[in-house]
Structures are given as structure tokens and as C-alpha cells.
Amino acid sequence: MTERIEQIYDRAIAEEKLKDGTKYERLTAIVFKILDGSGLVVHDMKLSGDGKEALHQIDVSVGDHQVQRRVLVECKDYDSESVGIGVIRDFNGALVQLQPVQGIVVTTTRFTSGACAYARDEGIALVQLRPFTDHDWNGRVRVVKIAATGYTLGEPHTTWEPTGQVRLAPAAAADSTGRVSVHEISHYDASGTRQGPLHVLLAPWRAELSRATPSDGSADTVTGHHQLDHPVWLIQGHHLVEVTGFAWTAPVVSIGLDLEVTGSRIADLIAHAVQLSGTTTLTESLATALGAPGTVIFHDQLARWSVDDDGVITSRPLI
């Protein structure tokens, strides 16, 4: 068993002692379940052909309960050794008797030229399922960089519109000339009695400002007019001045935004077809998943599945 395969299995499925090759077989079974979710996937079956006595040990079976509809898989977890013609020939002996719809040999490594030629002759698909490496990111989207410019309004300036009514202001009252965003500024009635903070009175205007912001930066400034629901009195200098509304001007401010979005998922394995002969018969989902450039299998996908006592790949209960 290769060390990396054992680490992937222990982290995603369970830390347990199994004989050499079993963890890879189970990972392969889970991967086929991920790639073809509608099928019944079973690890480690003993099958005999129709009318035959000999039993054949099959690492992974994919399909339904009808033997003739099954895809049968042989797994080889090699560290550096290539899969040779002998492995393909021995597996084909079982396929001749079992007559599945497809036979597949899956390995962590490579196939010899002789193995590839024999597999082509017999219509056996060859697949590589191995640990994912940083090199496998080539040609795939790993990071999305977004550069954008947004626009907002700067601090507005106001020009109040007086009615001409003026009275003496209460002592120590804050002047409301110019900027209207200062929360300490109040508005009054004609007798000089404070009625409340000015920013509350101007809340509807603030909503108008957000809608007036250009989204495309087509203007340097934005101007407008706001009419109050009723006249109010403001402090200007030492006087109370009655106003009915104001004209306003606000600069348009651009904001640069740079975002880098990187996926947080852990890529554990990659599965792709080394060779699919003209006689290969796979389900559409499997054929698509195993085609170039293959399919990345993530840790969270593996962790959703387990192998029950009968070898059937089943989903883990949600916690």
C-alpha cells in the first residue's frame, strides 16, 4: 500500500488496520460512487458466471443487481511499478466468464505498452486513480482574482432655503450651516425649543443620496434638492432661521476593490482514463468524469461515504 493512499483513507474514511491494497480498493469504490451516484457500488465481491462453478474475487462492482449490467473493476495500488500485461490477462479471464458490460483496471501508477495493447484488444478500460499533486492544478481554476471599481458619494454640502423668518437663537446652540451630517445639530420650533436631532429629520434624504450615486462613475459630482415635510428652525450664527429645504452637492468618490478567492477544499485524488478503447461501454456520467482532464476528488466528497459490512458504499448519516 502506498503511504499517501493510506493517509488519504485514514483522514477521510477511518483509521483502521486493513490488508495491503484494501484501502485503495475501498477508495476506488467510493470514487466510482461519487462519479456515478445512481449505481450500486460494492467492494470485494465473489462472483461466478452464468452456469459456471468458478468464483472470481472482484475488487469493485458498479451497477445494479443484474449481473450482466455490472461494471467490474480491478485495483492495483503500486508505488512505482507499472501494471503489466499479466494483470490485464488475469483480469480478462474473470471477465470472459462473468460477462459484465465493462471491465476496468484502475491503478495509482502507469500501464506498460503491452498491457495497453492487450486491453485495447479485449475492450478493457484503463484508469489512473492517484493522489492529487500541485502539478494537477495546471489548466484548472484554483484562484479567482477580481478587480472592480465602486462609487459612493462623499460628504455633501448644503445650501439652506430660508423663508425670511429670523429670531434670536438660544444660547450655546450648535450652528447648522454647511454640512448636515453632524449628529449634534438640532432643529427647533419658532420659540427656540429643541425638537430633535437634525439627522433623524434628514433620514429620508439620506436614502435619496444612496439612490443618487452613479454606478458607472459618469459624473464627478451629484446635485439635488430636498424639500422638508414642514418648515423647521435652524441655528445660523446667533439667530434662528426658518427653512423649508435645501440644495445639495456631493462629490463622487471612486473605491478600488481587489479580491482573491481561493477554494478551501482539499483535493485528495484525481481520476482520469488512460485508455478507453472503441468497444468501451461506460455510463455517460462515468465517461464524462473520466475523460480529459479527469475529475478531482475532494476530501469532503470522500468523507460523505463509508463501506458497510456487506461492502456496499453508503452515505454517512448527517450529524
Side-chain angles (χ1 to χ4, degrees):
M1 179 191 319
T2 57
E3 181 178 356
R4 183 75 187 282
I5 289 297
E6 183 167 13
Q7 292 172 348
I8 291 171
Y9 183 92
D10 290 350
R11 186 173 64 243
I13 311 304
E15 290 190 34
E16 52 187 340
K17 294 291 185 180
L18 298 172
K19 69 178 182 179
D20 285 353
T22 300
K23 290 184 178 181
Y24 183 62
E25 293 170 9
R26 290 188 170 188
L27 284 174
T28 300
I30 291 171
V31 167
F32 272 90
K33 183 64 177 179
I34 292 169
L35 300 183
D36 189 9
S38 62
L40 173 68
V41 181
V42 184
H43 167 246
D44 191 17
M45 297 186 70
K46 298 290 194 302
L47 300 175
S48 61
D50 188 19
K52 308 294 183 181
E53 294 184 18
L55 286 174
H56 301 275
Q57 189 276 328
I58 300 299
D59 293 337
V60 179
S61 169
V62 184
D64 54 25
H65 295 281
Q66 302 177 44
V67 174
Q68 65 271 24
R69 297 284 303 279
R70 286 179 175 143
V71 172
L72 303 183
V73 183
E74 176 78 0
C75 303
K76 293 298 177 185
D77 178 16
Y78 289 167
D79 194 2
S80 58
E81 178 186 357
S82 297
V83 175
I85 189 173
V87 171
I88 312 299
R89 185 186 294 116
D90 291 345
F91 183 49
N92 190 54
L95 299 180
V96 169
Q97 285 204 338
L98 298 176
Q99 292 294 302
V101 69
Q102 182 65 58
I104 304 176
V105 178
V106 179
T107 186
T108 50
T109 181
R110 297 166 299 278
F111 298 90
T112 66
S113 59
C116 291
Y118 190 91
R120 283 194 299 271
D121 289 342
E122 302 301 327
I124 298 171
L126 305 180
V127 170
Q128 188 180 68
L129 174 65
R130 58 171 175 78
F132 190 88
T133 67
D134 283 341
H135 178 74
D136 293 313
W137 283 119
N138 292 342
R140 300 175 188 272
V141 176
R142 187 176 188 178
V143 177
V144 176
K145 295 183 178 180
I146 302 172
T149 302
Y151 299 92
T152 187
L153 292 184
E155 187 67 26
H157 290 259
T158 61
T159 302
W160 293 96
E161 298 172 341
T163 64
Q165 297 291 324
V166 179
R167 301 179 188 276
L168 286 177
D175 196 320
S176 60
T177 304
R179 299 173 184 263
V180 297
S181 62
V182 182
H183 283 215
E184 290 79 8
I185 294 177
S186 301
H187 63 94
Y188 301 82
D189 63 13
S191 68
T193 303
R194 182 180 181 275
Q195 299 298 297
L198 188 61
H199 73 89
V200 174
L201 186 69
L202 298 181
W205 171 63
R206 285 293 184 182
E208 291 178 16
L209 279 182
S210 64
R211 293 190 293 270
T213 305
S215 60
D216 57 358
S218 58
D220 294 329
T221 59
V222 177
T223 61
H225 177 271
H226 182 73
Q227 188 72 30
L228 298 173
D229 291 338
H230 54 82
V232 298
W233 294 79
L234 300 178
I235 302 294
Q236 294 187 359
H238 299 291
H239 296 88
L240 278 173
V241 178
E242 186 183 48
V243 299
T244 57
F246 55 88
W248 58 269
T249 300
V252 177
V253 180
S254 63
I255 301 173
L257 180 65
D258 292 313
L259 293 177
E260 184 171 293
V261 182
T262 304
S264 60
R265 302 174 76 191
I266 300 172
D268 272 343
L269 300 165
I270 184 168
H272 67 92
V274 174
Q275 179 175 288
L276 296 177
S277 67
T279 58
T280 300
T281 304
L282 295 174
T283 63
E284 183 178 351
S285 57
L286 280 178
T288 300
L290 296 174
T295 296
V296 179
I297 308 298
F298 293 92
H299 170 78
D300 62 295
Q301 292 176 295
L302 294 173
R304 294 173 192 165
W305 302 93
S306 62
V307 185
D308 70 14
D309 293 339
D310 295 321
V312 178
I313 308 304
T314 58
S315 59
R316 295 183 189 271
L318 296 176
I319 298 176

